[in-house]
Amino acid sequence: MTSCRDPRADANVAQAMMEAGAQMTMLQQDQSIMQSQLDSLMQVVAWQDTIIRRLASHTGLPISSR
């Protein structure tokens, strides 16, 4: 006796794989956006840190190093 594969089951598996791939692509895009935002925030913090250190230096206030 031979068994036949259910074409609907195969189609469902194929559809699930396609949806999983699309979700992974969206996650990669989201991660890329978040990394870009994080890089931007780090630049802002570094700039603010520089300004604070310059102001402290001009006023003679000690600032501890990291």
Side-chain angles (χ1 to χ4, degrees), residues 44-56:
V44 170
V45 169
W47 179 78
Q48 289 176 346
D49 187 54
T50 299
I51 297 298
I52 290 169
R53 289 188 180 281
R54 285 182 184 168
L55 288 171

Side-chain angles (χ1 to χ4, degrees), residues 52-64:
I52 290 169
R53 289 188 180 281
R54 285 182 184 168
L55 288 171
S57 173
H58 290 308
T59 60
L61 294 173
I63 291 190
S64 62

Side-chain angles (χ1 to χ4, degrees), residues 13-29:
V13 169
Q15 181 65 32
M17 297 287 282
M18 297 271 295
E19 290 172 4
Q23 289 293 324
M24 288 180 64
T25 298
M26 287 191 291
L27 286 171
Q28 289 172 335
Q29 291 170 348

